[in-house]
Amino acid sequence: MKLSRRIKDLTATRLMMLTTMSAFALMIIIGVVLAVKSEQILSGHSLWSLLGSSVWKPMKGEFGFLAFIAGTLAVTALAIVLALPPALMASIWLSEYANSRIRSLFAPVIDLLAGIPPVVYGVWGTLTLVPLISETLAPCFVDFSTGYSLLAGGIVLAIMVIPLMMGLFGELFASIPRDLREASLALGATRWETARRVVVRKALPGIVATVVLAISRAFGETIAVMMVCGNVADMPGSLFNPVYPLPALIANNYGEMMSLPDYESALMLAALILFVIIIAFNVISHAILHRLKQRIA
Amino acid sequence: MENILFEMNTSVFVDNYKATAPVSCIENAALCIRGLNVAIQGKPILKDVSFDVPPKSITCIIGPSGCGKTTLLRSLNRMHDYTAGMKVTGQVTIDGNDIYAPGVDVAALRRRMGLLAQRPTVLPMSVFGNVAYGPKLYGVKRGELLRAIVERNLKAVGLWEEVHDRLHSPAGILSVGQQQRLCLARALAVQPAIILGDEATSALDPLATRTIEELLLRLKQQLSIVLVTHTLRQARRIADHVVFMYMGEMVESGSAQQVFSNPVHDLTREFVGGSIG
């Protein structure tokens, strides 16, 4: 082989390896930088007082993250609970019942919805959803709500992750062999029985993976949630109370009030907490997924 | 053990319907196919196909690739129902009932015909779950009865000895040959009258093929079998009756002996002689 060809081959190999490795290195670097920057707040306060307290008074040097962590988890959980059933049902209908013309009409629409910038969803939430909750929905349940609430955040986030889920579910169901459906139909199963007992079952690892991806996305979603959830550092008490998720805390405050060194460090810790939650969550879900795949095979 | 039957409506799949135009076919025919046309998006795939499937015997559908064998087989249990642009006309009757008549309970109809696909298609569940799948759909809930059904049908395909200690393992861990026998056991578990096989041994090695063939020869004492095959040798080994298809048309059908040793049609002669196909 000519030397120049060998050099090209070697360069290409190394270059591609380097890019792959740098993605991994980037993650490590982010983690390390966040940890270093959080060091100041961590040395001045016990971890328990930071994570276990919900009192957030930076001017008095009190940095309790519990309300933010709870707010993040609550908004995410609500969004997934609201999004999963309709996303799954619509995807099953599209893949198992709808004809190919409808399917090919919907596929680009779903991609389009997934591509709308979050801030647009945020504006829609502020203009439509927040007044609806405050004027119509909340009075049925509580005395007063501004509408900027856990519920508003959950709904906006749910609407944002539904197209993401549907896009992935669609590809997932399309990858399930037709033979498998026919094996079930040939035994006298109805289409619904086939969808539920065979298609969804076969797709279960993929469904879990999709939900994991949607949760990761929801954890980190900032602007749209920030615009409608009220941003008050209280523990989430009811659907109509405001919450303050971690990403919103960082986005609202970073760059301001930097005169307090503890404050900047606290915001870095907020980012670190978010980072750790997402990594831990992904590791756990990988383990679940692995077991699920073995069981279904 | 022979009498483990569960409450199921085996014979009736037609609601309020009796065939209005009875077709004349051989006595006790398992299936009667008359003037069957299948077209996809206006392009004909099957043209005016008519033949009878005699009971308790093996009928092999032979012909070169693309002649419509599989389409024909799939028309027999209405597998084309969900294929967009597919148009089926003509008659396929069981016990004098047209399966394409309006009001037919398609699920009940399909239950009467076990399907054995080209590649084994085990459902994403355990060995036990695969065999119990059909009976469960029909409301068999008692664990004891389900276990008996599973055991009986796994024994019927000679798989019991091999898998009885891993009934609850995923079916995907079995070998391909075992999987195909599992699929057969699964089909038998809903007590079909007919088994449809679509090149059911093409993915199997010669030994596994022989096992399936021996099973089919044994099963034909109780049920009727329609087998699409592209290997002539297989048809010669097991067929009682042969249907020869060419370019979407039924060229010749008759007893295996007659079609192989004394074909009426020139095309058939050329095909069984090996000069086309």
Side-chain angles (χ1 to χ4, degrees), chain A residues 179-180 182 184-186 188 201, chain B residues 74 107 110 121-122 124 133 138:
Chain A
D179 287 0
L180 211 55
E182 290 185 348
S184 167
L185 292 171
R201 203 185 158 90
Chain B
R74 292 164 59 84
R110 292 203 183 112
T121 49
V122 294
Y133 183 82
Y138 294 97

Side-chain angles (χ1 to χ4, degrees), chain B residues 22-34:
Chain B
V23 287
S24 59
C25 52
I26 62 163
E27 208 181 337
N28 296 326
L31 277 170
C32 232
I33 294 120
R34 289 291 177 274

Side-chain angles (χ1 to χ4, degrees), chain A residues 12 25 37 40 43 70 106 131 145 152 182 192 205 211 243 291:
Chain A
K37 292 250 187 183
Q40 183 176 349
S43 62
F106 264 85
S145 168
E182 290 185 348
W192 168 239
V211 171
V243 288
R291 292 192 56 180

Side-chain angles (χ1 to χ4, degrees), chain B residues 100-230:
Chain B
Y100 281 99
V104 167
D105 178 350
V106 180
L109 158 76
R110 292 203 183 112
R111 226 211 65 206
R112 298 198 59 194
M113 308 195 202
L115 179 71
L116 215 47
Q118 233 176 70
R119 316 197 119 267
T121 49
V122 294
L123 300 174
M125 46 193 81
S126 64
V127 172
F128 185 96
N130 264 274
V131 185
Y133 183 82
K136 271 187 187 166
L137 290 177
Y138 294 97
V140 180
K141 287 201 183 74
R142 256 179 49 228
E144 212 179 302
L145 184 55
L146 272 179
R147 272 195 297 280
I149 291 170
V150 169
E151 182 175 341
R152 189 171 77 135
N153 288 292
L154 285 175
K155 279 181 173 163
V157 298
L159 204 54
W160 177 254
E161 288 304 315
E162 294 163 50
V163 301
H164 69 91
D165 53 350
R166 42 182 177 164
L167 287 177
H168 297 286
S169 307
I173 63 165
L174 301 181
S175 75
V176 184
Q178 287 174 324
Q179 285 187 20
Q180 194 64 311
R181 275 187 286 156
L182 180 65
C183 292
L184 189 55
R186 184 180 66 196
L188 293 175
V190 294
Q191 301 174 335
I194 301 168
I195 295 276
L196 306 175
D198 184 5
E199 298 185 10
T201 59
S202 64
L204 308 183
D205 62 60
L207 215 61
T209 301
R210 205 172 85 189
T211 314
I212 294 280
E213 284 178 3
E214 281 165 2
L215 276 170
L216 293 178
L217 287 169
R218 190 136 44 87
L219 284 170
K220 78 171 182 180
Q221 289 161 13
Q222 291 141 43
L223 14 97
S224 318
I225 296 164
V226 183
L227 203 63
V228 161
T229 178
H230 63 188

Side-chain angles (χ1 to χ4, degrees), chain A residues 223-287:
Chain A
I223 186 77
V225 180
M226 195 167 90
M227 287 168 79
V228 298
C229 71
N231 303 329
V232 177
D234 285 338
M235 289 297 284
S238 98
L239 284 176
F240 301 103
N241 286 3
V243 288
Y244 206 164
L246 283 166
L249 169 73
I250 301 167
N252 270 337
N253 297 293
Y254 195 78
E256 291 171 32
M257 299 172 72
M258 287 297 145
S259 50
L260 291 171
D262 265 6
Y263 203 141
E264 191 196 351
S265 183
L267 292 179
M268 286 298 115
L269 181 61
L272 185 64
I273 294 169
L274 203 59
F275 189 71
V276 170
I277 290 178
I278 289 179
I279 289 180
F281 174 73
N282 271 281
V283 169
I284 294 167
S285 48
H286 256 97

